[in-house]
Structures are given as C-alpha cells and as structure tokens.
Amino acid sequence: MISRPAWVAISPETGVELWWVILAAFGAGVVDAMVGGGGLVTVPALLTSFPNAAPVLLLGTNKCSSVFGTSVAAWRYSRHVRLDWTWLVPATLAAFLGACLGAWTLTWVAPDFLRKLLPAVLLLVLVYTLKFPQFGVEQGARGHSVRQRWMIALAIGGSIGWYDGFFGPGTGSFFIFMLVRFLGQDFLHASASAKVLNASTNLATLAVLGWSGAVWWQLGLAMAAANIAGSLLGSALALKHGTTLVRRVFAAVVTLLLLKTAWQAYV
C-alpha cells in the first residue's frame, strides 16, 4: 500500500515550461492518434518541466490532456472507418470499468513490479510484428463466433483498461496489437477501434484521479487544446496513407517505448 501523495503547491507557469509541455502535447496528439504512445512524449516533458510536483498529479494532468485528443481522434476515425460496434461497445464499457479499477488500485499499490516486466512484453510485441510482414496489413476474420468475439473483446477491454488506469505506458499500442492479433483487424481499423477504447480508459482514469485531487486542471486543459490539434493531424495522416504507414509508425513507437522503459527499469 502506498500513502496518498502530498501535493506540491504550484501555479500555472507563463514561461518556457508551459510552452514546452504544450508543444509536447501537440506532438503526442499526432503520435497517439495514429498508434498510441503519446505519453512517451508528454509524461517526460511534464516530469522534467515541473520536477517539484507530485508524479501522480502530473500523470492525472496528462490524462486531462489525452482524453480530449483520443476522443477527437475516435470521432474522426468513426466518420471514415467502419467500426464493428457489436463488440466495440461492450469492450468500451469493460475498458472503462477496468481503468476505474486500475486507477483505484494505483492509490493503494505502487506499480513498481510492472516497470521490470514491461520492456520484455514490448520486446515480444515488436519481434512478433517484425517477424510477420503481413501482420495487420489486411483485415480478415479469425473464424470466431459472435459469442467468442464478445468474450475476446471484453477480455481485451477489461485487462488493458486496468493496465491503463494502473500504469499506462503503451496502452494505445497494446490495444492495437491485441485487436490485430486476436480479432483479425488491420492496423488502420485496429487504430480506429483502439481510439474508442482508449478514450474510455482515459476518461475513467481522469474521473478517479480528478476526484482524488490528482489533476492540475489549468495546465491539463491548455495541453488538451494542443493535443486535439495534434490528434486531428495524426488521424488525417493515418486515414490518408492507410495501414502501411500506421504499421511502420507502430513499430517505431513500440521500439521507442521499449528503449525508454528498459532504461527506466534497469539503468
């Protein structure tokens, strides 16, 4: 069990730090709209810009930013990509509940054990993606019945949702990989579906952390505006260039996540 953090009294900055994290939020929006992993950009920017703030406060502030970007990206994708709502709706509800549980768990248990495990999981995802060149290039059914698709979708939504609420790095990328691997989606459709799921988990985590006072709303909303602009650009690029580009960006982001998490865990 971990004690509740002691909040550091800070006020909105008007200097370099503020503009740096807003720029980072824009870049995160571009990446996150395509393949997830926006936290790879914003979380380090927040931690380095405001080193005296409690980390949980900055993580909550990051969720305030990302929930808007993922929601806008989900809306944009839904207008251009056909989504299978028969399984996506229950999976989204499961993701929301899982993220609530994960965020609640975070208030009591430190996620240190995941720091050492995450690089290995990301390595497996990267190797699998690179080993099979046609992985996620074409969309095809896995031969599952409606009931089986429901069960798989609920398992993906609930488990990754819990992970996002509890720890979070790479959530969007994990959603995409699972949807491609187990539901037979191509990378473009998986990215679109993942945005719906990720918007749900971000909202749930923000609700729990916001209720506990772990959100710096002034900064979070300023970052949200930039994140929305970035998500519009990222989703436009994905829709224009399709599955091939999304797959390449996915591999690049997973590689960066692997290096970052391995450095944090072992170096």
Side-chain angles (χ1 to χ4, degrees):
M1 180 180 295
I2 60 174
S3 60
R4 292 185 179 275
W7 307 125
V8 178
I10 53 179
S11 58
E13 301 289 337
T14 57
V16 176
E17 293 86 357
L18 176 62
W19 292 108
W20 166 240
V21 295
I22 287 177
L23 179 62
F26 174 81
V30 176
V31 174
D32 212 36
M34 298 181 72
V35 295
L40 180 68
V41 180
T42 50
V43 172
L46 284 165
L47 291 174
T48 56
S49 297
F50 305 103
N52 294 324
V56 177
L57 178 63
L58 297 181
L59 292 176
T61 303
N62 180 62
K63 286 298 180 185
C64 178
S65 168
S66 60
V67 69
F68 287 95
T70 51
S71 297
V72 168
W75 167 77
R76 181 76 181 273
Y77 276 119
S78 67
R79 297 182 62 199
H80 297 86
V81 176
R82 184 177 180 181
L83 300 176
D84 189 349
W85 294 104
T86 57
W87 62 261
L88 188 54
V89 169
T92 300
L93 294 175
F96 183 88
L97 295 175
C100 286
L101 180 60
W104 177 82
T105 307
L106 180 62
T107 65
W108 298 99
V109 180
D112 294 337
F113 68 94
L114 285 179
R115 297 186 191 279
K116 305 232 178 241
L117 178 62
L118 184 58
V121 175
L122 287 167
L123 180 61
L124 290 175
V125 169
L126 180 61
V127 169
Y128 190 95
T129 302
L130 296 178
K131 183 179 180 180
F132 301 98
Q134 296 304 309
F135 177 69
V137 173
E138 297 180 356
Q139 179 159 311
R142 293 290 185 195
H144 301 307
S145 66
V146 174
R147 177 183 173 84
Q148 288 173 326
R149 289 178 72 83
W150 264 59
M151 297 303 293
I152 293 171
L154 288 173
I156 292 173
S159 59
I160 305 299
W162 179 87
Y163 169 81
D164 191 27
F166 183 61
F167 194 50
T171 294
S173 300
F174 284 138
F175 270 133
I176 292 173
F177 180 82
M178 292 294 185
L179 294 174
V180 173
R181 175 64 181 84
F182 296 106
L183 289 180
Q185 293 199 303
D186 60 37
F187 270 99
L188 180 61
H189 284 79
S191 182
S193 301
K195 290 300 150 296
V196 178
L197 296 169
N198 207 176
S200 174
T201 60
N202 284 338
L203 180 61
T205 308
L206 177 63
V208 174
L209 295 181
W211 176 79
S212 65
V215 178
W216 183 13
W217 292 102
Q218 301 98 316
L219 179 60
L221 292 174
M223 292 174 64
N227 197 262
I228 289 172
S231 71
L232 290 172
L233 176 59
S235 56
L237 289 172
L239 290 168
K240 180 179 180 180
H241 297 285
T243 292
T244 301
L245 177 63
V246 176
R247 187 181 192 278
R248 290 173 180 172
V249 176
F250 175 83
V253 168
V254 171
T255 300
L256 291 174
L257 278 168
L258 170 61
L259 294 174
K260 176 179 179 289
T261 54
W263 175 271
Q264 291 178 327
Y266 298 104
V267 180

